[in-house]
Amino acid sequence: MASFGRLSHDWLLRFVELRVGDPRLISLIRRWLKAGVLEDGELHPNEEGTPQGGSISVLLSNLYLHYVLDLWFERVVKPRLQGEAHLVRYIDDFVLCFQNRQDALRVQDALCKRLARFNLQLEPTKTKLVAFGRFAQTNARSRGAQRPETIYFLGFTLYCTQNRKGNFRVGLRTEKSRFRRSLARLRELMRTQRHLPIPDQAGNLNRAIRGHYAYYGIAGNFRAVQRVYRTVERYWHRMLCSRSRKGHITWDVFHQIKARTPIMRPKLFLPYAKLQSIAVL
């Protein structure tokens, strides 16, 4: 897994021209890239990369990496490998999966040269080679380790586990730092709105929780999602009790409040049935 550096404007415009034939649109994108960044009232020129927070930045980054990484891996790298290989990428974060370790080592060296050609580089703190898959547990025990290493990708921790039939399965759970960050945001929301009417608090809180469930509500991660619900429940009770010096609310009264203005309970937006159908497709 890795992240990249700054994109080259020259190469980016070349890639755009492969898909766009209108010179006026090319000129607009060129000016967009060189518009600069306004920070503390000062305009800083932008000579490389896409504008941070720009509405077109994600689209241009995906287009750039499609030619630099995706097509190169499919058309140049995979035909030369001995085993099976796959690439999973989301914007500038990606995971390369190899059947053979030697293929992984060869591609790692070639990848650094490929990225350097286009003014990119791997992020050392996010790049590592991990033994993962059906035989990872056996190989880890042979090395004296209790369990295989894990992978952090898009806010999830990926680990090796088994299904009910004893077959290998990729497990997913919320990554610890993302989990703490989500709880901190929810606590801050409850703290800042504690003097609002209770129905308004519940509505705002449910909108925030629904977004968390929609992203992290994946099969195998229900326990982490449920922890968020339990933490929100306890902290909301605490905030309601702090509305005044004599405002202590018993748990019986709090449950009555929840019955009138309920908090959205944990929900898996991508259960096992949907995961299996996606795997079949």
Side-chain angles (χ1 to χ4, degrees):
M1 184 176 65
S3 291
F4 298 99
R6 307 286 285 178
L7 309 184
S8 169
H9 287 178
D10 294 337
W11 279 110
L12 179 55
L13 291 173
R14 290 186 192 179
F15 295 148
V16 173
E17 289 172 353
L18 293 175
R19 291 175 172 261
V20 179
D22 190 343
R24 295 170 298 179
L25 187 56
I26 300 296
S27 177
L28 178 62
I29 294 175
R30 181 181 290 107
R31 284 181 289 171
W32 209 329
L33 290 172
K34 296 183 179 296
V37 179
L38 187 63
E39 185 176 0
D40 297 332
E42 296 184 5
L43 183 62
H44 301 274
N46 186 42
E47 301 297 335
E48 60 179 7
T50 54
Q52 185 70 25
S55 56
I56 201 174
S57 297
V58 174
L59 175 62
L60 293 178
S61 298
N62 269 319
L63 178 65
Y64 193 89
L65 293 174
H66 173 71
Y67 288 101
V68 172
L69 182 62
D70 298 348
L71 291 182
W72 171 76
F73 185 77
E74 288 294 328
R75 298 180 180 180
V76 179
V77 175
K78 289 183 68 172
R80 302 181 182 181
L81 300 179
Q82 297 179 356
E84 191 175 352
H86 299 279
L87 166 65
V88 181
R89 181 178 66 84
Y90 181 78
I91 309 179
D92 61 346
D93 290 330
F94 69 94
V95 174
L96 292 173
C97 308
F98 299 94
Q99 184 178 7
N100 296 333
R101 178 181 174 86
Q102 293 302 320
D103 288 341
L105 295 174
R106 289 171 54 201
V107 173
Q108 187 176 20
D109 295 336
L111 179 61
C112 294
K113 298 177 182 178
R114 173 71 177 180
L115 296 180
R117 179 183 175 187
F118 296 94
N119 197 33
L120 297 174
Q121 60 181 359
L122 296 174
E123 176 60 44
T125 59
K126 295 184 179 181
T127 304
K128 63 178 180 178
L129 187 64
V130 177
F132 204 87
R134 291 182 296 166
F135 308 107
Q137 182 67 50
T138 304
N139 295 335
R141 291 174 180 173
S142 64
R143 298 192 306 268
Q146 293 183 353
R147 59 181 64 90
E149 292 186 75
T150 57
I151 301 174
Y152 303 105
F153 188 55
L154 302 180
F156 288 94
T157 298
L158 280 63
Y159 61 95
C160 300
T161 184
Q162 296 178 344
N163 59 17
R164 295 181 178 180
K165 295 182 180 180
N167 299 324
F168 170 77
R169 180 175 65 85
V170 178
L172 296 97
R173 61 172 177 263
T174 308
E175 198 268 322
K176 291 181 180 179
S177 63
R178 294 292 186 92
F179 183 81
R180 291 192 294 266
R181 194 184 311 169
S182 298
L183 290 183
R185 286 198 295 264
L186 291 170
R187 289 192 183 105
E188 180 64 17
L189 174 63
M190 288 182 282
R191 188 186 65 81
T192 55
Q193 68 168 9
R194 58 182 171 176
H195 292 296
L196 295 179
I198 291 179
D200 293 343
Q201 292 188 40
N204 296 334
L205 192 55
N206 280 332
R207 280 189 288 270
I209 294 177
R210 185 179 294 109
H212 183 88
Y213 293 167
Y215 187 84
Y216 292 102
I218 296 180
N221 196 39
F222 185 77
R223 184 174 298 178
V225 173
Q226 192 174 40
R227 284 182 60 192
V228 171
Y229 173 80
R230 297 301 183 192
T231 303
V232 167
E233 185 181 46
R234 291 194 300 268
Y235 200 79
W236 192 32
H237 173 258
R238 178 180 171 185
M239 289 297 99
L240 292 178
C241 291
S242 66
R243 285 155 65 99
S244 66
R245 293 184 178 180
K246 298 181 180 180
H248 179 72
I249 298 175
T250 64
W251 279 101
D252 290 337
V253 174
F254 179 69
H255 289 312
Q256 294 176 14
I257 293 174
K258 282 204 311 173
R260 295 192 299 268
T261 55
I263 305 174
M264 184 177 179
R265 298 193 66 85
K267 179 182 178 180
L268 292 182
F269 281 76
L270 193 62
Y272 283 108
K274 290 186 178 180
L275 280 179
Q276 291 175 356
S277 63
I278 292 174
V280 170
L281 292 176

